[in-house]
Amino acid sequence: EVHLLDSGGGLVQPGESLRLSCAASGFTFSSHAMSWVRQAPGKGLEWVSGISGSGVGGYYADSVKGRFIISRDNSKNMMYLQMNSLRAEDTAVYYCAKVAGSGWGQGTLVTVSS
Amino acid sequence: QSALTQPASVSGSPGQSITISCTGTSSDVGTYNYVSWYQQHPGKAPKLIIYDVSNRPSGVSNRFSGSKSGNTASLTVSGLQAEDEADYYCRSYTSSSTLVFGGGTKLTVL
């Protein structure tokens, strides 16, 4: 059974950084592209970033390009999202998810506020 | 990276069928058969119900079906049940190697 556990959220001030983590199990992690998706309070889903199974190449939504960095460590079955220069509009629940097939984390809340 | 267009809300009575549309462009829905649909109940993570336009994951009811014509994908829910009341999102792969979601549709079972 696919299991994704995202963590690392919290309350930060504008301009600060935060690193989210996603621990994967139940599938061959290195064979699957992964993504981060966020959902602002009361809003819809927004794709944030994606990474191939090999970890070569990261893709970003325009809203986070240049501020967020996606990475993965296939030896540890882990994916990360380094979020820099955070803004109030980055406040959301962040989910890690498989790009193909079923598999979402439970979400981790990031709040950017002074 | 504009969001795909979905109706904000749809409704139907138990036993009826409803269809939710998802309109994109030739850079996403119109070119790629990588359209997925997700169901999200309040406070829960989204659940995949349709992938690659019309395929259902194991365990998903056959009351859910998907299709595509041109730049518009559609999700049909037949035999509406109270438990189908939720938010529904479409997602497509794009020519920029990114993904894009629709704005979401709230399904109300009357």
Side-chain angles (χ1 to χ4, degrees):
Chain A
E1 180 185 359
V2 172
H3 189 61
L4 297 172
L5 181 63
D6 27 40
S7 61
L11 172 63
V12 297
Q13 295 191 348
E16 293 186 340
S17 298
L18 204 59
R19 188 198 199 201
L20 304 183
S21 299
C22 174
S25 62
F27 64 103
T28 306
F29 183 65
S30 60
S31 296
H32 289 268
M34 298 291 294
S35 63
W36 288 97
V37 177
R38 69 185 181 184
Q39 187 168 35
K43 302 297 185 181
L45 301 175
E46 179 189 13
W47 176 82
V48 173
S49 182
I51 189 167
S52 67
S54 66
V56 175
Y59 304 90
Y60 302 92
D62 289 343
S63 57
V64 306
K65 197 173 295 183
R67 300 187 299 124
F68 290 11
I69 300 172
I70 191 171
S71 62
R72 64 191 295 162
D73 184 340
N74 287 344
S75 69
K76 297 181 179 178
N77 284 3
M78 294 290 295
M79 180 178 66
Y80 307 97
L81 186 67
Q82 178 66 41
M83 303 186 296
N84 301 321
S85 303
L86 283 162
R87 306 167 180 168
E89 54 265 35
D90 295 318
T91 294
V93 173
Y94 285 73
Y95 297 98
C96 65
K98 290 177 64 186
V99 171
S102 301
W104 287 64
Q106 83 288 353
T108 186
L109 176 62
V110 173
T111 303
V112 185
S113 175
S114 55
Chain B
Q1 292 184 346
S2 298
L4 306 175
T5 300
Q6 297 181 232
S9 64
V10 298
S11 62
S13 300
Q16 291 186 330
S17 295
I18 62 92
T19 297
I20 298 172
S21 61
C22 169
T23 301
T25 69
S26 58
S27 296
D28 40 64
V29 175
T31 295
Y32 302 99
N33 288 325
Y34 296 132
V35 177
S36 302
W37 288 90
Y38 296 86
Q39 176 191 61
Q40 187 181 34
H41 287 107
K44 301 292 187 182
K47 172 189 174 183
L48 179 68
I49 55 173
I50 294 289
Y51 67 95
D52 295 350
V53 176
S54 59
N55 296 288
R56 277 188 310 276
S58 175
V60 173
S61 171
N62 59 10
R63 297 185 299 103
F64 294 94
S65 62
S67 62
K68 190 185 85 166
S69 177
N71 294 339
T72 299
S74 298
L75 171 72
T76 297
V77 186
S78 59
L80 273 177
Q81 299 179 1
E83 68 217 46
D84 299 331
E85 185 160 297
D87 293 325
Y88 291 83
Y89 296 90
C90 59
R91 188 200 77 178
S92 177
Y93 180 76
T94 81
S95 59
S96 302
S97 299
T98 62
L99 298 171
V100 61
F101 282 94
T105 299
K106 181 177 179 60
L107 169 59
T108 300
V109 180
L110 301 172

